[in-house]
Amino acid sequence: MMRSKLMNLVPRAVATTSRQMSTATKLTTVQVDDKTGIATLTMNRPPVNGLNLELLRDIHQSIEEIEGNKSRGLILTSSNPTIFSAGLDIFEMYKPDKERIRAFWTALQDVWLALYGSSVPTAAAINGHSPAGGCLLATSCEYRVMLPKYTIGLNETKLGIVAPKWFMSTFESVLPRRLAERALNQGRMFTTEEALAVGLVDEVANSKEEAIAKCAQFIGTFAKVNPLARALTKQQLRAEELKQLEDERVQDLEKFIFFVNQPAVQKGLGIYLESLKKKATK
Amino acid sequence: MMRSKLMNLVPRAVATTSRQMSTATKLTTVQVDDKTGIATLTMNRPPVNGLNLELLRDIHQSIEEIEGNKSRGLILTSSNPTIFSAGLDIFEMYKPDKERIRAFWTALQDVWLALYGSSVPTAAAINGHSPAGGCLLATSCEYRVMLPKYTIGLNETKLGIVAPKWFMSTFESVLPRRLAERALNQGRMFTTEEALAVGLVDEVANSKEEAIAKCAQFIGTFAKVNPLARALTKQQLRAEELKQLEDERVQDLEKFIFFVNQPAVQKGLGIYLESLKKKATK
Amino acid sequence: MMRSKLMNLVPRAVATTSRQMSTATKLTTVQVDDKTGIATLTMNRPPVNGLNLELLRDIHQSIEEIEGNKSRGLILTSSNPTIFSAGLDIFEMYKPDKERIRAFWTALQDVWLALYGSSVPTAAAINGHSPAGGCLLATSCEYRVMLPKYTIGLNETKLGIVAPKWFMSTFESVLPRRLAERALNQGRMFTTEEALAVGLVDEVANSKEEAIAKCAQFIGTFAKVNPLARALTKQQLRAEELKQLEDERVQDLEKFIFFVNQPAVQKGLGIYLESLKKKATK
């Protein structure tokens, strides 16, 4: 329904792009609301939106299309009824292929640089659990609306790993300093209610539709704002963190590759995957 | 009344200076309370305390006099019954004179460096609306008391312009990080009540007199503090932001000059001035 | 009781060390709880836990032992019934010995670097007043539980001195920026209730035992966290402040030596010590 109207109202290039995106091979879809001009980017990689190379590349490409689209804003959400994103796909890190793991981490850097530095207003409609990489995506947006009874947080220490500096700086930009530190040290997952209380999310909604509507309402607050002045303002405010990763992309990649290949880390990931398998077969 | 007593109690040089400041050509007045030793700096440029070259120079000179005066503190306020300061005078930026606009921006830098880095306790009695440059002056002070039913904020994006980095860092030092970001992106004007709730102002007062009394009460909290140790402490805490502008004064000036002379910006300012003219003639 | 069980459960080296620490000459004691594996570091230098060279060296050594012990966490507290620590011992600064004052300041730097950068979870059971250096120790920990009716804060400006940059950055990491600035400028001492309200302490307990139990409960939140991943996470989050002092240790020392030897500072300290003596003889 939204799509059919869209054909008449948005530039042809956009509509074509939009149509392409629903091809079966794509792990994301983008829908532009013809009334509001806001694009909804939906992650759709069953079973849990695990961030593997292909999903990351599709997210990156979708963000770039939305930037090029002159969309009024970007709402990030999930097609899964209970999971926003389960975070980085552990199969990318366990016994990794030498070439592929580099492409994987580079794609993750690309996604963060594009989303955190996006020139359009961004909001996350968090319609399910959102640990680790899922939390990174959500906190990279300017606004967060979450459904009740889910959890969100950077729980890396619970898995025996250390979040990169840019995961941490994104998280620290949302919460008071020591509260962020404590949660990162604990690998704490916040319930929706706890997340709202500390400001990790901005609003709670009772359905995905309501969450998207509230995100759209937030993006609507920029209706009377000059888009270029807004984009330059946001980029100036986020310049320091963006520059830091841009300057250290190679070191950040090498650090990750070195870390992942440690025998203790490989062993830990193996045990974790084994436990998932057992859960699945129960 | 305050002036007559002052003559007996403060060093002659101060009193003389104080008298000079009420000459007709001066756009600010400074009154030192003989009981408390606190100086009140009043902006007085009808109709709206638009910050033009002359007003900025007078504010700067008044701050320097108060520093030299050994005043116990500085309270910044306005003689206008409904406007603290309407911010930068747009006539300085529209079809600007090449020499004058450089002097104008340099004077603004001087005012901020002097006020943000002032060695005496500073407080703003915000007795009217305080957008853009008005908000910059208020947030550069250590404490803010505001009258009800006015508004305050950095609304640059609504005018299609981008606040300089030091406007933003001053604003971000008062509010939580993401809340500051959101407000800057939105060009949001906070009502007095909203400003109090988020910490953009510290107290509300029902009259200008009460606002000044509350500012004086704040300054009184330093009564038993060593003034030199206090000044060094404050300067150490604000050193990073002060150093950043001091190091980049020239680039900051050139950036502003380049920006203001963009045809799109000139066109936007022209339209805005036209709308003000129409309003005035209604 | 705790000690006898300990012998069976922890490596011999640790137990031996632990026993050594109760020798009469040591100004700190360390007790490791055999159930929880948490070490309690007690400052014990009558009458007020003034931080002199010897106490600082003992604190530093105790922290290093706890690090080496594989303790599950560190709880810092005081043997004094009403004072956590009165801060730096003024006798170290008044008419100082040239060699000793350098060793004194270096020991203080060592303590902060070890405590702020500690790889184990740290918490302070603040069972008494905690001004200046006492507040520095408490805020260097990750968690603070305080008993009612005491006070805590960095009150240096009230004594006419300026806290070093790393005292301030530690304090600013706990409180919102402008609130920290104001308190530092004022030399403000917060009551337990005020400290809780602004987040300077995390919990209130009604006895030392309860405070230690609450600290242990906080440390217990890391039970399911990988200790190495936790340590690396914490160190990454605190790296900037730690690096700053490590890079500037010599300048920081010279600055302190220069400052302390100013005649005005010596005079102020003399007057202060005289007033303490008079109080004591009343």
Side-chain angles (χ1 to χ4, degrees):
Chain A
M1 182 193 77
M2 194 182 285
R3 197 65 55 77
S4 62
K5 274 197 172 181
L6 183 72
M7 298 297 290
N8 304 318
L9 290 165
V10 297
R12 187 164 305 269
V14 176
T16 311
T17 305
S18 196
R19 196 189 273 154
Q20 267 191 337
M21 304 190 86
S22 47
T23 56
T25 55
K26 193 101 188 183
L27 299 173
T28 53
T29 57
V30 172
Q31 284 193 304
V32 181
D33 185 310
D34 55 351
K35 269 197 217 156
T36 63
I38 296 171
T40 299
L41 194 175
T42 304
M43 297 179 279
N44 180 27
R45 183 183 171 233
V48 295
N49 279 330
L51 299 165
N52 72 344
L53 174 58
E54 285 74 21
L55 176 53
L56 288 168
R57 280 189 172 160
D58 285 351
I59 295 173
H60 185 219
Q61 196 184 321
S62 293
I63 296 170
E64 291 207 322
E65 280 166 7
I66 291 167
E67 292 276 343
N69 266 354
K70 311 206 175 216
S71 292
R72 289 266 312 284
L74 182 165
I75 298 171
L76 183 65
T77 193
S78 159
S79 66
N80 187 302
T82 60
I83 291 169
F84 179 71
S85 162
L88 302 186
D89 188 333
I90 287 174
F91 286 103
E92 294 286 11
M93 299 186 269
Y94 185 59
K95 298 185 180 172
D97 174 79
K98 276 192 180 179
E99 292 299 309
R100 186 177 165 95
I101 195 165
R102 289 181 167 268
F104 163 72
W105 195 256
T106 302
L108 180 64
Q109 292 178 334
D110 284 339
V111 163
W112 183 78
L113 289 169
L115 185 59
Y116 194 72
S118 167
S119 69
V120 302
T122 53
I126 308 166
N127 59 325
H129 294 295
S130 190
C135 177
L136 174 72
L137 295 180
T139 50
S140 296
C141 294
E142 296 166 43
Y143 202 75
R144 276 156 298 289
V145 182
M146 190 164 168
L147 268 59
K149 297 184 183 170
Y150 293 118
T151 57
I152 184 169
L154 291 179
N155 61 339
E156 277 77 357
T157 57
K158 284 242 176 78
L159 310 176
I161 57 179
V162 179
K165 204 151 60 170
W166 39 290
F167 279 57
M168 293 191 190
S169 67
T170 304
F171 196 71
E172 281 189 297
S173 75
V174 175
L175 294 178
R177 172 82 190 275
R178 282 288 178 103
L179 208 150
E181 181 189 89
R182 199 170 298 154
L184 287 166
N185 286 342
Q186 292 170 330
R188 177 175 175 188
M189 292 298 294
F190 294 79
T191 64
T192 302
E193 291 68 25
E194 291 167 343
L196 183 69
V198 297
L200 181 51
V201 303
D202 300 291
E203 283 194 80
V204 173
N206 288 309
S207 66
K208 183 177 172 180
E209 290 64 37
E210 192 187 333
I212 287 176
K214 286 187 173 198
C215 287
Q217 203 168 10
F218 166 70
I219 292 169
T221 63
F222 300 107
K224 290 179 182 171
V225 171
N226 179 300
L228 180 60
R230 198 203 107 87
L232 293 172
T233 297
K234 178 178 169 184
Q235 278 164 14
Q236 187 163 288
L237 287 163
R238 297 189 169 197
E240 202 177 311
E241 288 88 359
L242 291 167
K243 193 176 175 311
Q244 189 149 39
L245 181 59
E246 275 159 6
D247 287 353
E248 296 177 4
R249 281 193 81 146
V250 178
Q251 297 96 306
D252 180 68
L253 172 61
E254 297 305 334
K255 201 173 163 183
F256 170 70
I257 300 292
F258 175 82
F259 176 76
V260 150
N261 285 303
Q262 295 301 303
V265 173
Q266 283 298 312
K267 195 183 158 189
L269 294 175
I271 291 167
Y272 184 69
L273 285 172
E274 202 59 38
S275 77
L276 288 185
K277 233 184 271 177
K278 275 181 196 155
K279 249 191 215 170
T281 55
K282 261 180 201 168
Chain B
M1 181 195 75
M2 194 181 288
R3 197 64 55 80
S4 62
K5 276 198 174 181
L6 184 71
M7 299 297 289
N8 303 320
L9 290 165
V10 298
R12 186 165 307 268
V14 176
T16 312
T17 304
S18 194
R19 196 189 271 155
Q20 267 191 337
M21 305 190 83
S22 49
T23 56
T25 56
K26 193 99 186 184
L27 300 173
T28 54
T29 58
V30 172
Q31 284 193 305
V32 181
D33 185 310
D34 55 351
K35 271 198 217 157
T36 64
I38 296 170
T40 298
L41 194 175
T42 304
M43 297 178 280
N44 181 25
R45 183 182 172 234
V48 293
N49 279 330
L51 298 165
N52 72 344
L53 174 59
E54 285 74 22
L55 176 54
L56 287 168
R57 280 187 172 160
D58 284 352
I59 294 173
H60 184 220
Q61 197 183 321
S62 292
I63 296 170
E64 292 207 322
E65 279 165 9
I66 290 167
E67 292 276 341
N69 265 358
K70 311 205 175 217
S71 291
R72 289 265 313 283
L74 181 166
I75 298 172
L76 182 65
T77 194
S78 159
S79 67
N80 186 301
T82 60
I83 291 169
F84 180 72
S85 162
L88 302 185
D89 188 334
I90 288 174
F91 286 103
E92 294 286 10
M93 299 187 269
Y94 184 59
K95 297 184 179 171
D97 174 79
K98 276 189 181 181
E99 292 300 309
R100 186 175 164 98
I101 194 164
R102 289 180 166 270
F104 163 70
W105 194 256
T106 301
L108 180 64
Q109 293 177 333
D110 284 339
V111 163
W112 183 78
L113 289 169
L115 185 60
Y116 194 71
S118 167
S119 69
V120 302
T122 52
I126 309 166
N127 59 324
H129 294 295
S130 190
C135 176
L136 174 72
L137 295 181
T139 51
S140 296
C141 295
E142 297 166 42
Y143 202 75
R144 276 157 297 289
V145 182
M146 190 164 168
L147 270 59
K149 297 187 183 168
Y150 293 119
T151 58
I152 184 169
L154 290 179
N155 61 340
E156 277 77 357
T157 58
K158 284 244 176 76
L159 309 176
I161 58 180
V162 179
K165 206 151 58 171
W166 39 290
F167 279 56
M168 292 191 190
S169 67
T170 305
F171 196 71
E172 280 189 299
S173 74
V174 176
L175 294 177
R177 173 81 190 275
R178 282 288 177 102
L179 208 150
E181 179 189 271
R182 199 170 298 155
L184 287 166
N185 286 342
Q186 291 171 330
R188 178 175 173 187
M189 292 299 293
F190 294 80
T191 64
T192 302
E193 291 69 24
E194 292 168 342
L196 183 69
V198 297
L200 181 51
V201 304
D202 300 290
E203 283 195 80
V204 173
N206 288 309
S207 67
K208 183 177 173 179
E209 288 65 38
E210 192 188 333
I212 287 176
K214 287 187 171 199
C215 288
Q217 203 168 7
F218 165 71
I219 292 168
T221 64
F222 301 107
K224 290 178 183 172
V225 171
N226 178 299
L228 180 60
R230 197 203 109 88
L232 293 173
T233 297
K234 178 178 170 185
Q235 277 163 14
Q236 187 163 286
L237 288 163
R238 298 189 168 196
E240 201 177 312
E241 288 87 0
L242 291 167
K243 193 177 175 309
Q244 189 149 40
L245 180 59
E246 275 159 6
D247 287 352
E248 296 176 4
R249 281 193 80 146
V250 177
Q251 297 96 306
D252 180 69
L253 173 61
E254 296 306 333
K255 200 173 163 183
F256 171 71
I257 300 291
F258 175 82
F259 176 78
V260 149
N261 285 303
Q262 295 301 303
V265 173
Q266 282 298 312
K267 195 180 158 190
L269 294 175
I271 292 166
Y272 183 70
L273 286 172
E274 202 61 36
S275 77
L276 288 185
K277 229 184 273 175
K278 274 179 195 157
K279 248 190 215 170
T281 54
K282 259 179 202 168
Chain C
M1 183 192 77
M2 193 181 286
R3 197 64 55 80
S4 60
K5 277 199 172 178
L6 184 70
M7 299 297 289
N8 304 319
L9 290 164
V10 299
R12 186 164 307 269
V14 176
T16 312
T17 305
S18 197
R19 198 188 272 153
Q20 267 192 336
M21 305 190 85
S22 47
T23 56
T25 55
K26 193 100 186 183
L27 300 172
T28 54
T29 58
V30 172
Q31 284 193 305
V32 181
D33 186 310
D34 55 350
K35 271 198 217 156
T36 63
I38 296 170
T40 299
L41 195 176
T42 304
M43 297 178 280
N44 181 24
R45 184 183 172 235
V48 294
N49 280 330
L51 299 165
N52 73 343
L53 175 58
E54 285 74 22
L55 177 53
L56 287 169
R57 280 188 173 160
D58 285 351
I59 295 172
H60 184 220
Q61 197 185 321
S62 294
I63 296 170
E64 291 206 323
E65 280 165 9
I66 291 167
E67 292 274 343
N69 266 355
K70 311 208 176 216
S71 292
R72 289 265 314 283
L74 182 166
I75 297 172
L76 183 65
T77 193
S78 159
S79 66
N80 187 302
T82 59
I83 291 169
F84 179 73
S85 163
L88 302 185
D89 187 334
I90 288 174
F91 285 103
E92 294 285 10
M93 300 186 269
Y94 184 59
K95 297 184 181 172
D97 173 79
K98 275 191 184 183
E99 293 299 310
R100 186 176 164 96
I101 194 164
R102 289 181 168 270
F104 162 72
W105 194 256
T106 301
L108 179 65
Q109 292 177 335
D110 284 338
V111 164
W112 183 78
L113 289 169
L115 185 60
Y116 194 72
S118 167
S119 69
V120 303
T122 52
I126 309 165
N127 59 325
H129 294 295
S130 190
C135 177
L136 175 72
L137 295 181
T139 50
S140 296
C141 294
E142 297 166 41
Y143 203 75
R144 277 157 297 289
V145 182
M146 190 164 168
L147 268 60
K149 297 186 183 168
Y150 293 118
T151 57
I152 185 169
L154 290 179
N155 61 339
E156 277 77 357
T157 58
K158 284 243 176 77
L159 310 176
I161 59 180
V162 179
K165 206 152 56 170
W166 39 290
F167 279 56
M168 292 192 190
S169 66
T170 304
F171 195 72
E172 281 189 298
S173 74
V174 176
L175 294 178
R177 172 82 189 275
R178 282 290 177 100
L179 208 150
E181 180 188 270
R182 200 171 297 154
L184 287 166
N185 285 343
Q186 291 171 332
R188 177 176 173 187
M189 292 299 291
F190 294 80
T191 64
T192 302
E193 292 68 26
E194 290 167 344
L196 183 69
V198 297
L200 181 51
V201 303
D202 299 291
E203 284 195 79
V204 172
N206 289 308
S207 67
K208 184 178 172 179
E209 290 64 37
E210 192 188 332
I212 287 176
K214 287 187 173 199
C215 287
Q217 203 168 9
F218 165 71
I219 292 169
T221 63
F222 301 106
K224 292 179 182 170
V225 172
N226 179 299
L228 180 60
R230 198 203 107 86
L232 293 173
T233 298
K234 179 177 169 185
Q235 277 164 14
Q236 187 163 286
L237 288 163
R238 296 188 169 198
E240 200 177 313
E241 288 88 359
L242 291 166
K243 194 178 175 310
Q244 189 149 39
L245 181 59
E246 276 159 6
D247 287 352
E248 296 176 6
R249 281 193 81 145
V250 177
Q251 297 96 307
D252 180 68
L253 172 61
E254 297 306 333
K255 201 172 162 182
F256 171 71
I257 301 293
F258 175 82
F259 176 77
V260 150
N261 284 304
Q262 295 302 303
V265 172
Q266 283 298 313
K267 195 181 159 190
L269 294 174
I271 292 166
Y272 184 69
L273 285 172
E274 202 59 39
S275 77
L276 288 184
K277 230 183 274 176
K278 274 181 197 156
K279 250 190 214 166
T281 54
K282 260 180 203 170

